[in-house]
PDB file of all heavy atoms in Angstrom:
ATOM      1  N   LEU A  81      46.668 -68.986  -3.621  1.00  0.00           N
ATOM      2  CA  LEU A  81      46.863 -69.637  -2.325  1.00  0.00           C
ATOM      3  C   LEU A  81      46.695 -68.595  -1.233  1.00  0.00           C
ATOM      4  O   LEU A  81      47.114 -67.452  -1.395  1.00  0.00           O
ATOM      5  CB  LEU A  81      48.264 -70.242  -2.235  1.00  0.00           C
ATOM      6  CG  LEU A  81      48.606 -71.346  -3.215  1.00  0.00           C
ATOM      7  CD1 LEU A  81      50.085 -71.700  -3.116  1.00  0.00           C
ATOM      8  CD2 LEU A  81      47.762 -72.577  -2.932  1.00  0.00           C
ATOM      9  N   THR A  82      46.108 -69.002  -0.133  1.00  0.00           N
ATOM     10  CA  THR A  82      45.985 -68.099   1.011  1.00  0.00           C
ATOM     11  C   THR A  82      47.156 -68.347   1.950  1.00  0.00           C
ATOM     12  O   THR A  82      47.358 -69.469   2.416  1.00  0.00           O
ATOM     13  CB  THR A  82      44.655 -68.310   1.747  1.00  0.00           C
ATOM     14  OG1 THR A  82      43.585 -68.063   0.830  1.00  0.00           O
ATOM     15  CG2 THR A  82      44.533 -67.361   2.931  1.00  0.00           C
ATOM     16  N   TRP A  83      47.931 -67.301   2.179  1.00  0.00           N
ATOM     17  CA  TRP A  83      49.064 -67.358   3.092  1.00  0.00           C
ATOM     18  C   TRP A  83      48.654 -66.742   4.430  1.00  0.00           C
ATOM     19  O   TRP A  83      47.884 -65.777   4.469  1.00  0.00           O
ATOM     20  CB  TRP A  83      50.245 -66.564   2.529  1.00  0.00           C
ATOM     21  CG  TRP A  83      51.048 -67.329   1.537  1.00  0.00           C
ATOM     22  CD1 TRP A  83      50.720 -67.576   0.231  1.00  0.00           C
ATOM     23  CD2 TRP A  83      52.322 -67.935   1.753  1.00  0.00           C
ATOM     24  NE1 TRP A  83      51.709 -68.309  -0.364  1.00  0.00           N
ATOM     25  CE2 TRP A  83      52.711 -68.537   0.549  1.00  0.00           C
ATOM     26  CE3 TRP A  83      53.166 -68.013   2.853  1.00  0.00           C
ATOM     27  CZ2 TRP A  83      53.906 -69.217   0.412  1.00  0.00           C
ATOM     28  CZ3 TRP A  83      54.361 -68.694   2.708  1.00  0.00           C
ATOM     29  CH2 TRP A  83      54.724 -69.292   1.500  1.00  0.00           C
ATOM     30  N   MET A  84      49.199 -67.275   5.511  1.00  0.00           N
ATOM     31  CA  MET A  84      49.046 -66.695   6.851  1.00  0.00           C
ATOM     32  C   MET A  84      50.412 -66.202   7.277  1.00  0.00           C
ATOM     33  O   MET A  84      51.359 -66.984   7.368  1.00  0.00           O
ATOM     34  CB  MET A  84      48.525 -67.739   7.842  1.00  0.00           C
ATOM     35  CG  MET A  84      47.097 -68.153   7.613  1.00  0.00           C
ATOM     36  SD  MET A  84      46.565 -69.445   8.770  1.00  0.00           S
ATOM     37  CE  MET A  84      46.841 -68.648  10.349  1.00  0.00           C
ATOM     38  N   ILE A  85      50.505 -64.906   7.521  1.00  0.00           N
ATOM     39  CA  ILE A  85      51.770 -64.293   7.914  1.00  0.00           C
ATOM     40  C   ILE A  85      51.680 -63.863   9.374  1.00  0.00           C
ATOM     41  O   ILE A  85      50.838 -63.058   9.744  1.00  0.00           O
ATOM     42  CB  ILE A  85      52.088 -63.059   7.027  1.00  0.00           C
ATOM     43  CG1 ILE A  85      51.967 -63.397   5.535  1.00  0.00           C
ATOM     44  CG2 ILE A  85      53.439 -62.490   7.402  1.00  0.00           C
ATOM     45  CD1 ILE A  85      52.965 -64.409   5.027  1.00  0.00           C
ATOM     46  N   GLU A  86      52.575 -64.406  10.187  1.00  0.00           N
ATOM     47  CA  GLU A  86      52.614 -64.045  11.607  1.00  0.00           C
ATOM     48  C   GLU A  86      53.380 -62.743  11.771  1.00  0.00           C
ATOM     49  O   GLU A  86      54.424 -62.539  11.145  1.00  0.00           O
ATOM     50  CB  GLU A  86      53.292 -65.151  12.410  1.00  0.00           C
ATOM     51  CG  GLU A  86      53.309 -64.883  13.899  1.00  0.00           C
ATOM     52  CD  GLU A  86      53.879 -66.051  14.679  1.00  0.00           C
ATOM     53  OE1 GLU A  86      53.613 -67.208  14.327  1.00  0.00           O
ATOM     54  OE2 GLU A  86      54.599 -65.781  15.652  1.00  0.00           O
ATOM     55  N   GLY A  87      52.847 -61.854  12.609  1.00  0.00           N
ATOM     56  CA  GLY A  87      53.497 -60.576  12.857  1.00  0.00           C
ATOM     57  C   GLY A  87      53.712 -60.332  14.337  1.00  0.00           C
ATOM     58  O   GLY A  87      53.548 -61.226  15.172  1.00  0.00           O
ATOM     59  N   ALA A  88      54.052 -59.123  14.633  1.00  0.00           N
ATOM     60  CA  ALA A  88      54.321 -58.724  16.028  1.00  0.00           C
ATOM     61  C   ALA A  88      53.026 -58.699  16.840  1.00  0.00           C
ATOM     62  O   ALA A  88      51.926 -58.804  16.306  1.00  0.00           O
ATOM     63  CB  ALA A  88      54.971 -57.351  16.035  1.00  0.00           C
ATOM     64  N   SER A  89      53.171 -58.516  18.139  1.00  0.00           N
ATOM     65  CA  SER A  89      52.007 -58.447  19.009  1.00  0.00           C
ATOM     66  C   SER A  89      51.248 -57.152  18.754  1.00  0.00           C
ATOM     67  O   SER A  89      51.831 -56.149  18.323  1.00  0.00           O
ATOM     68  CB  SER A  89      52.436 -58.504  20.479  1.00  0.00           C
ATOM     69  OG  SER A  89      53.069 -57.294  20.836  1.00  0.00           O
ATOM     70  N   PRO A  90      49.940 -57.150  18.997  1.00  0.00           N
ATOM     71  CA  PRO A  90      49.169 -55.929  18.803  1.00  0.00           C
ATOM     72  C   PRO A  90      49.736 -54.747  19.585  1.00  0.00           C
ATOM     73  O   PRO A  90      49.777 -53.626  19.078  1.00  0.00           O
ATOM     74  CB  PRO A  90      47.779 -56.302  19.302  1.00  0.00           C
ATOM     75  CG  PRO A  90      47.697 -57.775  19.084  1.00  0.00           C
ATOM     76  CD  PRO A  90      49.083 -58.277  19.355  1.00  0.00           C
ATOM     77  N   ASN A  91      50.208 -54.987  20.791  1.00  0.00           N
ATOM     78  CA  ASN A  91      50.760 -53.905  21.601  1.00  0.00           C
ATOM     79  C   ASN A  91      51.959 -53.266  20.909  1.00  0.00           C
ATOM     80  O   ASN A  91      52.079 -52.039  20.847  1.00  0.00           O
ATOM     81  CB  ASN A  91      51.150 -54.435  22.977  1.00  0.00           C
ATOM     82  CG  ASN A  91      51.535 -53.330  23.929  1.00  0.00           C
ATOM     83  OD1 ASN A  91      50.956 -52.243  23.896  1.00  0.00           O
ATOM     84  ND2 ASN A  91      52.509 -53.583  24.774  1.00  0.00           N
ATOM     85  N   ASN A  92      52.854 -54.076  20.360  1.00  0.00           N
ATOM     86  CA  ASN A  92      54.022 -53.537  19.645  1.00  0.00           C
ATOM     87  C   ASN A  92      53.588 -52.751  18.413  1.00  0.00           C
ATOM     88  O   ASN A  92      54.164 -51.701  18.105  1.00  0.00           O
ATOM     89  CB  ASN A  92      54.984 -54.653  19.232  1.00  0.00           C
ATOM     90  CG  ASN A  92      55.772 -55.203  20.381  1.00  0.00           C
ATOM     91  OD1 ASN A  92      55.789 -54.641  21.474  1.00  0.00           O
ATOM     92  ND2 ASN A  92      56.425 -56.323  20.161  1.00  0.00           N
ATOM     93  N   LEU A  93      52.606 -53.278  17.695  1.00  0.00           N
ATOM     94  CA  LEU A  93      52.133 -52.590  16.490  1.00  0.00           C
ATOM     95  C   LEU A  93      51.489 -51.251  16.838  1.00  0.00           C
ATOM     96  O   LEU A  93      51.709 -50.258  16.153  1.00  0.00           O
ATOM     97  CB  LEU A  93      51.157 -53.487  15.732  1.00  0.00           C
ATOM     98  CG  LEU A  93      51.774 -54.767  15.165  1.00  0.00           C
ATOM     99  CD1 LEU A  93      50.693 -55.674  14.610  1.00  0.00           C
ATOM    100  CD2 LEU A  93      52.811 -54.447  14.105  1.00  0.00           C
ATOM    101  N   TYR A  94      50.687 -51.224  17.901  1.00  0.00           N
ATOM    102  CA  TYR A  94      50.068 -49.970  18.332  1.00  0.00           C
ATOM    103  C   TYR A  94      51.127 -48.942  18.705  1.00  0.00           C
ATOM    104  O   TYR A  94      51.005 -47.770  18.400  1.00  0.00           O
ATOM    105  CB  TYR A  94      49.128 -50.190  19.521  1.00  0.00           C
ATOM    106  CG  TYR A  94      47.864 -50.941  19.176  1.00  0.00           C
ATOM    107  CD1 TYR A  94      47.305 -51.836  20.075  1.00  0.00           C
ATOM    108  CD2 TYR A  94      47.219 -50.780  17.950  1.00  0.00           C
ATOM    109  CE1 TYR A  94      46.156 -52.543  19.776  1.00  0.00           C
ATOM    110  CE2 TYR A  94      46.065 -51.485  17.647  1.00  0.00           C
ATOM    111  CZ  TYR A  94      45.537 -52.364  18.560  1.00  0.00           C
ATOM    112  OH  TYR A  94      44.401 -53.056  18.261  1.00  0.00           O
ATOM    113  N   ARG A  95      52.186 -49.393  19.372  1.00  0.00           N
ATOM    114  CA  ARG A  95      53.268 -48.480  19.757  1.00  0.00           C
ATOM    115  C   ARG A  95      53.995 -47.908  18.543  1.00  0.00           C
ATOM    116  O   ARG A  95      54.570 -46.829  18.603  1.00  0.00           O
ATOM    117  CB  ARG A  95      54.269 -49.185  20.666  1.00  0.00           C
ATOM    118  CG  ARG A  95      53.721 -49.448  22.037  1.00  0.00           C
ATOM    119  CD  ARG A  95      54.724 -50.140  22.898  1.00  0.00           C
ATOM    120  NE  ARG A  95      54.135 -50.477  24.177  1.00  0.00           N
ATOM    121  CZ  ARG A  95      54.816 -50.896  25.202  1.00  0.00           C
ATOM    122  NH1 ARG A  95      56.120 -51.039  25.126  1.00  0.00           N
ATOM    123  NH2 ARG A  95      54.212 -51.185  26.334  1.00  0.00           N
ATOM    124  N   LEU A  96      53.977 -48.654  17.437  1.00  0.00           N
ATOM    125  CA  LEU A  96      54.583 -48.171  16.196  1.00  0.00           C
ATOM    126  C   LEU A  96      53.635 -47.271  15.403  1.00  0.00           C
ATOM    127  O   LEU A  96      53.993 -46.777  14.340  1.00  0.00           O
ATOM    128  CB  LEU A  96      55.019 -49.358  15.331  1.00  0.00           C
ATOM    129  CG  LEU A  96      56.174 -50.189  15.871  1.00  0.00           C
ATOM    130  CD1 LEU A  96      56.354 -51.458  15.050  1.00  0.00           C
ATOM    131  CD2 LEU A  96      57.458 -49.366  15.876  1.00  0.00           C
ATOM    132  N   GLY A  97      52.418 -47.094  15.908  1.00  0.00           N
ATOM    133  CA  GLY A  97      51.459 -46.215  15.247  1.00  0.00           C
ATOM    134  C   GLY A  97      50.475 -46.920  14.334  1.00  0.00           C
ATOM    135  O   GLY A  97      49.697 -46.273  13.650  1.00  0.00           O
ATOM    136  N   LEU A  98      50.500 -48.250  14.313  1.00  0.00           N
ATOM    137  CA  LEU A  98      49.563 -48.990  13.476  1.00  0.00           C
ATOM    138  C   LEU A  98      48.264 -49.229  14.219  1.00  0.00           C
ATOM    139  O   LEU A  98      48.255 -49.452  15.425  1.00  0.00           O
ATOM    140  CB  LEU A  98      50.174 -50.327  13.056  1.00  0.00           C
ATOM    141  CG  LEU A  98      51.457 -50.211  12.231  1.00  0.00           C
ATOM    142  CD1 LEU A  98      52.132 -51.554  12.107  1.00  0.00           C
ATOM    143  CD2 LEU A  98      51.151 -49.650  10.864  1.00  0.00           C
ATOM    144  N   THR A  99      47.158 -49.182  13.495  1.00  0.00           N
ATOM    145  CA  THR A  99      45.844 -49.432  14.078  1.00  0.00           C
ATOM    146  C   THR A  99      45.136 -50.497  13.249  1.00  0.00           C
ATOM    147  O   THR A  99      45.660 -50.969  12.246  1.00  0.00           O
ATOM    148  CB  THR A  99      44.982 -48.154  14.066  1.00  0.00           C
ATOM    149  OG1 THR A  99      44.691 -47.811  12.700  1.00  0.00           O
ATOM    150  CG2 THR A  99      45.684 -46.999  14.762  1.00  0.00           C
ATOM    151  N   LYS A 100      43.916 -50.846  13.652  1.00  0.00           N
ATOM    152  CA  LYS A 100      43.125 -51.824  12.908  1.00  0.00           C
ATOM    153  C   LYS A 100      42.904 -51.387  11.463  1.00  0.00           C
ATOM    154  O   LYS A 100      42.775 -52.215  10.572  1.00  0.00           O
ATOM    155  CB  LYS A 100      41.763 -52.021  13.571  1.00  0.00           C
ATOM    156  CG  LYS A 100      41.812 -52.653  14.918  1.00  0.00           C
ATOM    157  CD  LYS A 100      40.411 -52.749  15.485  1.00  0.00           C
ATOM    158  CE  LYS A 100      40.454 -53.045  16.961  1.00  0.00           C
ATOM    159  NZ  LYS A 100      39.115 -53.074  17.544  1.00  0.00           N
TER     160      LYS A 100
END
Side-chain angles (χ1 to χ4, degrees):
L81 297 172
T82 301
W83 278 77
M84 290 178 58
I85 309 295
E86 183 175 322
S89 71
N91 189 36
N92 286 348
L93 295 172
Y94 290 144
R95 289 180 185 191
L96 292 171
L98 299 168
T99 67
K100 293 178 195 177

